[in-house]
């Protein structure tokens, strides 16, 4: 569908549509559910993967960017619609369920629904420009309150963590331990360690990375923080590493893999799946069995994808592979490697009621790749300019806590864009990519940066969309 044919509605309409969809699935059947979401969003989705963009999910400019601030993150979720047989007293009908940074205020009943609020970042990289800071926590100052508000936040560590060697950057990365600790302090708690740079320091670097991640886990646990790292193996005979994370009554299975390595050395020590038809089929069956052995509410799979960098294109072969992974039990497929932001796709199963999502790439969370931004360009849509913006993607899943409950439902989803700003001291710092930051730049004043970020905000919001696939 052409973008100019998409009718944009408010974010509250989309939330109402999802909530009512859940009730319709339970009481009114699929026909009513489809009719209602068509009515509430005015944006059609069709079956058999005939996909159309959902602007409410995809960052419509009508949504207030001020939501991405450290003071105003509370979202009011419209109370669930009831059938006539379920309607309660008038006073009870007035009650609403509020979702805020602290989660859902659950009723007292043991079988009441519960929600979990997840955040998915992208690649955490450490180029020379990033390592120049004397205090890595400064990178996160303006976004950490937001990240910390989530139950779980995911990110990809794109480098070895070998503390026996000096830090190094491209092409053979080695990230200092304090750099990762700064990301943990900012609110990230679950990390993939497998990607194309995993073996930049060889087998010894992988073994030292395992030690460093274990030390970080133990040190943060002492301070009351639970953090998780996966993707590396102690030996060539070991199984892929993963975690079954328990949080707020939820069990989340987390498995990261990479489809590419920059060199063949020590690949047997990495959760490595070659992008061949044979290995992909074997991996699909592995995921199916892994979920059976690890009963969970959600299965999150991180894929560092074998694809060209710096392009938003997704091949039909890659997309079908992801859909096959969802069919075998994955609920959230979180892909990265492109260093720029790509589309998202929601997959709704009309028979089972399952609701799943594919994130094709969330770009760089932090990097030094945009070291020379095209400040004077009227259309700064160059390859390196795109690497300076990232996506923090918010998803709230809700489940019924009873033995007959269906799959967890996606009750809220929203994109939050961030940008790497080079301040007057040449420090690379993360900022929310919103009007508030643009206004700040005009006041400093840094007019060239204000105009550049204004253009980048428009490009970022318009370049990717969210889609719904009905199956």
């Amino acid at each position: 569908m052409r973008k100019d044919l998409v009718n944009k509605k408010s974010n509250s309409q989309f939330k109402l549509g999802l909530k009512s969809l859940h009730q319709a699935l339970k009481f009114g059947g699929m026909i009513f559910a489809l009719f209602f979401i068509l009515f509430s969003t005015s944006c059609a989705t069709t079956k058999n993967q005939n996909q159309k963009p959902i602007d409410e999910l995809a960052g419509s400019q009508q949504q207030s960017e001020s939501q991405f601030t450290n003071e105003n993150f509370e979202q009011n979720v419209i109370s669930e619609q009831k059938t006539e047989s379920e309607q309660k007293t008038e006073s009870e009908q007035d009650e609403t369920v509020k979702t805020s940074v602290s989660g859902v205020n659950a009723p007292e009943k043991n079988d009441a629904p519960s929600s979990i609020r997840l955040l998915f970042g992208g690649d955490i990289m450490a180029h020379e420009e990033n390592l120049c800071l004397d205090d890595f926590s400064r990178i996160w100052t303006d976004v950490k309150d937001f990240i910390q508000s989530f139950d779980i936040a995911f990110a990809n560590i794109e480098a070895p963590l070998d503390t026996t060697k000096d830090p190094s950057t491209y092409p053979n990365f080695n990230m200092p331990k304090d750099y990762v600790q700064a990301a943990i302090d900012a609110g990230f708690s679950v990390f993939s360690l497998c990607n194309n740079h995993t073996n930049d320091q060889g087998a010894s670097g992988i073994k030292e990375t395992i030690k460093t991640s274990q030390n970080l886990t133990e040190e943060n646990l002492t301070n009351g923080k639970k953090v998780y790292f996966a993707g590396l193996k102690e030996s060539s005979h070991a199984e892929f590493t993963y975690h079954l994370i328990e949080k707020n009554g939820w069990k989340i299975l987390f498995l990261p893999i990479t489809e590419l390595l920059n060199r063949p050395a020590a690949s047997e020590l990495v959760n490595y799946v070659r992008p061949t038809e044979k290995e992909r089929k074997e991996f699909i069956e592995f995921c199916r069995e892994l979920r059976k052995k690890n009963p969970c509410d959600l299965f999150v799979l991180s894929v560092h994808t074998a694809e060209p960098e710096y392009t938003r294109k997704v091949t039909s072969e890659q997309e079908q592979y992801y859909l096959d992974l969802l069919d075998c039990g994955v609920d959230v497929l979180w892909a990265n490697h492109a260093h720029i932001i790509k589309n998202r796709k929601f997959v709704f199963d009309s028979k089972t009621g399952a609701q799943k999502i594919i994130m094709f790439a969330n770009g760089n969370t932090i990097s030094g790749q945009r070291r020379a931004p095209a400040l004077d360009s009227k259309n700064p849509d160059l390859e390196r300019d795109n690497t300076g913006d990232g996506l923090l993607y918010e998803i709230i899943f809700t489940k019924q806590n009873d033995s007959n409950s269906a799959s967890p439902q996606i009750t809220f989803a929203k994109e939050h864009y961030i940008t790497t700003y080079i301040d007057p001291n040449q420090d690379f710092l993360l900022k929310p990519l919103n009007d508030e930051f643009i206004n700040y730049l005009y006041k400093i004043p840094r007019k060239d940066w204000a105009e550049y970020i204004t253009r980048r905000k428009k490009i970022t919001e318009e370049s990717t969309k969210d889609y719904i696939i009905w199956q």
Side-chain angles (χ1 to χ4, degrees), residues 190-222:
V190 180
F191 300 93
S192 167
L193 292 173
C194 54
N195 48 73
N196 56 302
H197 287 287
T198 293
N199 57 356
D200 278 3
Q201 302 298 325
S204 63
I206 290 176
K207 293 177 180 179
E208 288 299 324
T209 299
I210 293 174
K211 290 180 182 178
T212 302
S213 63
Q214 290 173 342
N215 290 338
L216 284 165
T217 300
E218 294 169 2
E219 290 166 7
N220 281 278
L221 186 59
T222 301

Side-chain angles (χ1 to χ4, degrees), residues 448-460:
D448 55 348
W449 265 95
E451 293 176 347
Y452 174 76
I453 293 298
T454 298
R455 297 181 186 116
R456 285 301 312 165
K457 178 175 178 289
K458 184 175 186 294
I459 290 168
T460 300

Side-chain angles (χ1 to χ4, degrees), residues 73-138:
F73 284 113
E74 183 168 297
Q75 306 290 333
N76 291 327
V77 176
I78 296 177
S79 57
E80 302 227 3
Q81 303 298 305
K82 303 291 183 180
T83 62
E84 290 184 5
S85 62
E86 287 187 310
Q87 287 181 349
K88 299 181 179 181
T89 64
E90 183 174 350
S91 60
E92 289 175 319
Q93 291 177 26
D94 289 338
E95 294 182 359
T96 59
V97 179
K98 291 186 177 181
T99 299
S100 67
V101 294
S102 60
V104 172
N105 298 323
E108 294 180 358
K109 294 182 179 180
N110 292 331
D111 61 351
S114 66
S115 296
I116 192 162
R117 192 163 175 252
L118 308 178
L119 188 70
F120 294 88
D123 299 327
I124 293 179
M125 307 194 73
H127 292 92
E128 182 178 355
E129 294 81 0
N130 308 115
L131 297 181
C132 288
L133 281 171
D134 56 0
D135 179 2
F136 297 135
S137 68
R138 292 184 55 227

Side-chain angles (χ1 to χ4, degrees), residues 83-315:
T83 62
E84 290 184 5
S85 62
E86 287 187 310
Q87 287 181 349
K88 299 181 179 181
T89 64
E90 183 174 350
S91 60
E92 289 175 319
Q93 291 177 26
D94 289 338
E95 294 182 359
T96 59
V97 179
K98 291 186 177 181
T99 299
S100 67
V101 294
S102 60
V104 172
N105 298 323
E108 294 180 358
K109 294 182 179 180
N110 292 331
D111 61 351
S114 66
S115 296
I116 192 162
R117 192 163 175 252
L118 308 178
L119 188 70
F120 294 88
D123 299 327
I124 293 179
M125 307 194 73
H127 292 92
E128 182 178 355
E129 294 81 0
N130 308 115
L131 297 181
C132 288
L133 281 171
D134 56 0
D135 179 2
F136 297 135
S137 68
R138 292 184 55 227
I139 293 171
W140 307 96
T141 299
D142 290 334
V143 296
K144 68 178 182 180
D145 287 351
F146 174 60
I147 299 171
Q148 290 171 359
S149 72
F150 286 83
D151 295 312
I152 304 176
F154 299 77
N156 171 50
I157 299 293
E158 189 133 357
L161 310 175
D162 187 347
T163 59
T164 67
K165 300 177 182 178
D166 292 334
S168 58
T169 61
Y170 183 84
N172 297 312
F173 285 98
N174 189 35
M175 190 180 291
K177 179 183 174 183
D178 289 349
Y179 198 83
V180 181
Q181 184 60 54
I184 294 172
D185 293 340
F188 288 105
S189 56
V190 180
F191 300 93
S192 167
L193 292 173
C194 54
N195 48 73
N196 56 302
H197 287 287
T198 293
N199 57 356
D200 278 3
Q201 302 298 325
S204 63
I206 290 176
K207 293 177 180 179
E208 288 299 324
T209 299
I210 293 174
K211 290 180 182 178
T212 302
S213 63
Q214 290 173 342
N215 290 338
L216 284 165
T217 300
E218 294 169 2
E219 290 166 7
N220 281 278
L221 186 59
T222 301
N223 296 323
K225 295 180 183 178
K226 289 185 177 182
V227 296
Y228 305 87
F229 298 87
L232 304 182
K233 307 189 310 181
E234 295 276 5
S235 71
S236 59
H237 303 294
E239 294 285 339
F240 282 180
T241 56
Y242 61 90
H243 284 289
L244 186 61
I245 303 167
E246 297 191 31
K247 181 76 173 183
N248 298 344
W250 286 71
K251 289 185 178 181
I252 298 177
L253 179 61
F254 173 65
L255 169 68
I257 67 161
T258 182
E259 292 188 320
L260 73 167
L261 294 166
N262 288 347
R263 51 186 60 78
S267 62
E268 69 277 4
L269 300 178
V270 183
N271 287 9
Y272 178 41
V273 178
R274 292 173 181 82
T276 64
E277 182 179 359
K278 178 178 180 295
E279 290 208 20
R280 283 181 168 181
K281 285 183 178 179
E282 291 174 349
F283 180 64
I284 288 171
E285 291 307 311
F286 173 82
C287 289
R288 193 188 312 276
E289 291 302 313
L290 185 67
R291 174 144 195 173
K292 287 181 181 179
K293 294 176 182 177
N294 296 272
C296 58
D297 298 298
L298 295 173
F299 183 177
V300 176
L301 174 64
S302 168
V303 179
H304 209 77
T305 305
E307 63 181 0
E309 297 175 313
Y310 316 119
T311 176
R312 302 191 199 276
K313 182 180 179 181
V314 177
T315 66

